[in-house]
Amino acid sequence: LCWFQLYGYCYQDSNDIPDTLTTITELGSPLEMIQLLQTSWEDRFRICLSLVRLLHYLAHSPLGSVTLLDFRPRQFVIVDGELKVTDLDDASVEESSCTSNSDCFMEFPARNFTLPCSVEGRCQSMNEKRNLYNAYRFFFTYLLPHSAPSSLRPLLDKIVNATGNHNKHVICTEYPALELRPNPSVNSEFTQKCMKSANTKYRRVPEAYIPDENYRCWPSYHHKGCLLSVFDVNEAIEICDSYSQCKAFVLTNQTTWTGRQLVFFKMASNHIVPDPDKITYVKVTD
């Protein structure tokens, strides 16, 4: 669901505050853009996907095209990695009336648009395009390109630019397809790179784990260590080779929402303990 889940509500009259409405909703986390920029690209990509679903729903709701007049991060929360709307006070289904195209002028801080006035005297798709441009300037420009896999950047740039230009066809056709593409695309990229680092050798230690020897990296799924997602062992090797302090890595049995495997990267392998759910790779030195 794109909306905040409502579990219940009740009316209460009192002498001080008449007609009071109390709602009980699901628990969500406030949307903090600075914190989001410190999370993995996969998590930010998931938020953008849920925003695309929201834009589609707003454009084709049972009430007609709905616009969020206050389309800013503070109106949203994160629930289980998905973006949801919490404040509907500023939602509107009224398309602006007009007598000419000049009446359909949309002004934003960095750009302005003029939409056509229909024969019915309504600005065509103004609600939908207002939502689309606000999603572009508040979300997509920050969350999508930053630290994205290089193999996906050309397509992401195309999507971001199309959003800013109100090209919803590109958004509807290209963006959902990305949901199925991160793994193969990233895998292809890292497989090519790994051919360059064939001289680096790693010793495989099954059913083993390194409990300590952590170092911090960014972005990481663990605030006290370097925990990243990989497509396969080749990508893990490439990442470990890219960090001078990395001397080993541990494959876990945990995966992200896209199915990528979580891996701990370690700065030493002095203390290895048994663990049936993990596999350790130790860099072989001459």
Side-chain angles (χ1 to χ4, degrees):
L1 293 175
C2 302
W3 311 106
F4 214 35
Q5 183 67 41
L6 178 66
Y7 291 127
Y9 64 91
C10 64
Y11 288 99
Q12 180 181 359
D13 290 334
S14 66
N15 294 329
D16 298 329
I17 306 176
D19 300 327
T20 300
L21 173 64
T22 302
T23 61
I24 301 92
T25 62
E26 63 183 323
L27 183 63
S29 302
L31 193 66
E32 299 289 346
M33 193 60 67
I34 294 179
Q35 292 181 1
L36 284 181
L37 290 174
Q38 296 173 348
T39 62
S40 70
W41 182 80
E42 279 184 284
D43 289 343
R44 286 182 273 119
F45 175 68
R46 185 180 186 182
I47 290 171
C48 290
L49 273 179
S50 60
L51 182 54
V52 169
R53 299 187 195 103
L54 171 64
L55 292 172
H56 182 269
Y57 180 83
L58 291 174
H60 305 89
S61 80
L63 300 176
S65 182
V66 179
T67 187
L68 301 180
L69 299 176
D70 192 9
F71 199 116
R72 285 183 285 183
R74 68 183 184 186
Q75 306 288 27
F76 300 86
V77 294
I78 303 296
V79 180
D80 296 330
E82 301 282 344
L83 191 74
K84 294 194 176 185
V85 182
T86 60
D87 191 349
L88 300 178
D89 292 346
D90 296 309
S92 173
V93 295
E94 294 294 328
E95 294 278 15
S96 299
S97 58
C98 58
T99 56
S100 66
N101 291 349
S102 60
D103 295 328
C104 302
F105 181 73
M106 290 197 302
E107 184 176 6
F108 295 97
R111 191 169 182 181
N112 301 324
F113 299 91
T114 299
L115 302 179
C117 179
S118 69
V119 294
E120 293 82 12
R122 296 289 178 181
C123 296
Q124 291 184 16
S125 305
M126 178 170 278
N127 286 350
E128 181 179 5
K129 294 190 175 182
R130 181 185 287 114
N131 290 338
L132 190 60
Y133 191 77
N134 280 328
Y136 159 79
R137 69 189 185 108
F138 285 120
F139 292 95
F140 294 146
T141 54
Y142 298 107
L143 299 182
L144 268 183
H146 183 56
S147 72
S150 59
S151 59
L152 295 180
R153 284 173 191 165
L155 181 55
L156 291 174
D157 289 341
K158 177 182 177 182
I159 291 173
V160 171
N161 292 334
T163 311
N165 292 323
H166 287 166
N167 190 340
K168 68 176 183 178
H169 174 72
V170 173
I171 311 302
C172 294
T173 56
E174 300 285 3
Y175 205 113
L178 277 173
E179 194 164 9
L180 303 176
R181 291 181 55 178
N183 287 355
S185 299
V186 174
N187 179 51
S188 175
E189 172 190 351
F190 276 95
T191 298
Q192 294 175 7
K193 286 184 178 180
C194 282
M195 298 297 292
K196 302 176 183 179
S197 58
N199 293 330
T200 305
K201 297 184 181 297
Y202 287 81
R203 176 168 57 91
R204 184 177 184 271
V205 186
E207 299 185 355
Y209 177 62
I210 303 173
D212 303 312
E213 308 296 350
N214 291 314
Y215 66 90
R216 294 184 179 181
C217 67
W218 184 91
S220 174
Y221 286 91
H222 194 283
H223 67 285
K224 291 185 178 180
C226 187
L227 180 64
L228 303 174
S229 69
V230 303
F231 180 82
D232 59 10
V233 175
N234 287 332
E235 184 175 347
I237 291 174
E238 171 67 18
I239 292 174
C240 191
D241 285 349
S242 68
Y243 287 98
S244 60
Q245 64 267 55
C246 183
K247 305 301 180 185
F249 59 86
V250 180
L251 299 180
T252 73
N253 61 353
Q254 297 175 296
T255 59
T256 66
W257 68 280
T258 57
R260 289 168 59 84
Q261 193 170 10
L262 290 178
V263 175
F264 275 107
F265 293 88
K266 304 288 184 174
M267 59 190 303
S269 57
N270 299 324
H271 181 48
I272 300 179
V273 299
D275 191 322
D277 297 325
K278 297 178 177 64
I279 301 173
T280 293
Y281 285 79
V282 179
K283 185 179 291 187
V284 178
T285 56
D286 295 334

